[in-house]
Amino acid sequence: MIIQLEKDIDKAFVDQIVDKLKSLGIKVTPVNTQQGNYLIGISGKGFDIREVGGLEGVRDVHRVSDDYKLVSKKWKVKPTEVDLGDGATIESGGLAIMTGPCSIESEEQVDSMIQHLVKNGVKIMRGGVYKPRSSPYSFRGLGIEGLKMWHEKAKANGIKIITEVMQVSQIEPMLPYVDIFQVGARNTQNFNLLDELGKVDKPVVIKRGISGTIDELLHSAEYVFSGGNEKLILCERGIRTYEKATRNTLDLNAIPVLKEKTHLPVISDPSHGIGIRKFVEPMALASIMAGADGIIYESHEVPQKAFSDGQQTLNYPDSDKLIKKMQATYALRKSLDLE
Ligand code: PEP
Ligand code: MN
């Protein structure tokens, strides 16, 4: 159960409501986010909703049977819209395009990538400055200095930055230079990181864990939301299965399933999802038809020379073509009235 409280509710009224809930045998957790105040009630047995609904300071009471509550679609009338400013939004039923290299490598690269984005009307640039690598001897990113350089150039061009944060201590130094924090697949269940991201006033993309279920992804989002941050986006990026022909198995099923379960926007990452350059395009287009609210994919001026993930990265001409095809696919989806 979610008890939505009035925004400026007096502490005395909150205490009264909590006491009432406890007397009904309901376990209560208060949640205060940047946008609202809630009490999450867990109860084994049913009760008459009017016993709580009429109390002073209660805005609304929602019965949510799912284990995750605040990210559930069952209570929120309007889906979550993440507005980054400068016309960049990520919202249910939209098509947010994000592209850039796997790793930010140099100033020259950032310049040329920004040109590529501006030319195509793409507003969000991806890139890692802290890279989770399987081998400690691989390139691990330019770090905070690289992020500052990137931010300066992106800001000058109205481009928003999405980049991965790998640990709690990185959040604060990164905060002024980031528009969206990305939680990588290896950190989906790093609950300390999720708790801390609940405290920041910046949107967060949570990628699905490498072997994570849909339910686990939703629970990870519940951590950030209940920690205080409602600006959340979920990302299907492929899971590890027994299949060896591709890097991962992009779980297209997850897109409509997540859209049914949550009010959060759902995006797809076909680059990591399949891991093979020439199949990024069909998987991006399939993701859009499956209902994705955005696509994040890797591109690079010379993919063969990329410091990481070159095998799944598009060059500029292919990226140009993909953007046009994604827009056409999105228009087709809308015309078919699939959502
Ligand atoms: C990335 O986006 O480059 C990345 C490392 O993603 P993931 O966490 O999905 O592997
Ligand atoms: Mn990558």
Side-chain angles (χ1 to χ4, degrees):
M1 181 183 20
I2 298 173
I3 296 113
Q4 229 178 328
L5 303 175
E6 296 297 352
K7 186 93 184 129
D8 303 313
I9 185 171
D10 266 14
K11 166 113 178 34
F13 289 134
V14 178
D15 292 344
Q16 255 174 35
I17 301 163
V18 170
D19 287 346
K20 178 71 189 174
L21 290 164
K22 284 187 181 158
S23 77
L24 292 168
I26 297 167
K27 185 174 170 286
V28 192
T29 309
V31 168
N32 302 308
T33 74
Q34 292 143 17
Q35 268 132 297
N37 303 312
Y38 312 86
L39 295 171
I40 308 303
I42 311 286
S43 141
K45 49 184 179 20
F47 71 99
D48 190 334
I49 215 162
R50 288 168 298 184
E51 291 198 62
V52 182
L55 295 177
E56 184 83 37
V58 173
R59 180 181 285 187
D60 217 336
V61 181
H62 312 270
R63 282 191 195 279
V64 178
S65 49
D66 303 318
D67 285 345
Y68 45 86
K69 304 285 178 205
L70 291 159
V71 303
S72 169
K73 202 176 190 171
K74 293 200 176 124
W75 71 279
K76 206 159 176 238
V77 183
K78 262 185 71 196
T80 294
E81 180 182 329
V82 176
D83 187 352
L84 303 169
D86 290 335
T89 52
I90 305 164
E91 60 183 318
S92 192
L95 177 66
I97 299 177
M98 313 175 199
T99 192
C102 179
S103 308
I104 298 296
E105 299 171 6
S106 67
E107 261 190 78
E108 297 67 43
Q109 178 195 50
V110 171
D111 287 335
S112 92
M113 184 58 67
I114 287 177
Q115 261 184 26
H116 173 62
L117 266 72
V118 169
K119 174 184 142 198
N120 282 289
V122 172
K123 296 187 180 322
I124 308 171
M125 179 168 160
R126 62 143 292 145
V129 293
Y130 295 110
K131 295 302 302 175
R133 303 305 302 275
S134 301
S135 163
Y137 309 118
S138 304
F139 177 65
R140 292 165 76 179
L142 294 180
I144 194 75
E145 291 312 317
L147 178 59
K148 286 182 187 167
M149 171 275 291
W150 176 19
H151 172 259
E152 198 172 306
K153 292 173 185 291
K155 195 167 169 24
N157 288 279
I159 298 288
K160 304 297 172 185
I161 286 179
I162 173 170
T163 193
E164 177 164 354
V165 57
M166 285 179 59
Q167 55 183 3
V168 171
S169 63
Q170 291 166 350
I171 297 176
E172 208 183 306
M174 289 172 80
L175 191 63
Y177 310 107
V178 167
D179 296 292
I180 307 175
F181 280 111
Q182 174 176 315
V183 175
R186 290 152 196 82
N187 261 322
T188 310
Q189 289 193 309
N190 180 340
F191 300 119
N192 293 330
L193 183 62
L194 299 174
D195 273 340
E196 290 305 309
L197 288 169
K199 297 177 188 160
V200 306
D201 188 14
K202 286 276 166 87
V204 178
V205 161
I206 308 180
K207 288 193 154 194
R208 183 171 176 187
I210 290 174
S211 310
T213 64
I214 290 172
D215 235 51
E216 285 166 342
L217 177 59
L218 289 162
H219 277 91
S220 296
E222 187 82 10
Y223 264 86
V224 183
F225 198 127
S226 64
N229 188 353
E230 301 193 15
K231 295 181 202 133
L232 283 169
I233 300 133
L234 303 180
C235 180
E236 165 57 41
R237 53 77 71 197
I239 47 173
R240 184 165 288 173
T241 66
Y242 51 79
E243 184 51 68
K244 294 276 186 288
T246 54
R247 181 178 181 186
N248 291 300
T249 298
L250 183 69
D251 181 12
L252 286 176
N253 295 352
I255 298 168
V257 171
L258 282 167
K259 298 280 308 164
E260 175 78 5
K261 286 177 182 285
T262 180
H263 53 78
L264 301 175
V266 176
I267 64 171
S268 169
D269 174 350
S271 305
H272 294 87
I274 195 159
I276 302 167
R277 184 181 304 128
K278 68 177 174 184
F279 300 138
V280 168
E281 177 179 292
M283 298 318 284
L285 304 185
S287 296
I288 293 170
M289 289 312 281
D293 302 314
I295 302 291
I296 183 165
Y297 67 96
E298 291 177 335
S299 55
H300 189 284
E301 63 283 17
V302 189
Q304 290 73 8
K305 292 194 176 159
F307 291 2
S308 55
D309 284 352
Q311 81 291 345
Q312 63 191 33
T313 298
L314 304 191
N315 62 20
Y316 292 153
D318 287 344
S319 177
D320 289 339
K321 282 187 219 143
L322 176 60
I323 292 164
K324 288 194 178 62
K325 288 188 192 178
M326 286 195 292
Q327 286 160 344
T329 304
Y330 175 62
L332 173 64
R333 181 181 90 194
K334 288 195 92 134
S335 75
L336 293 174
D337 205 15
L338 293 177
E339 43 229 344

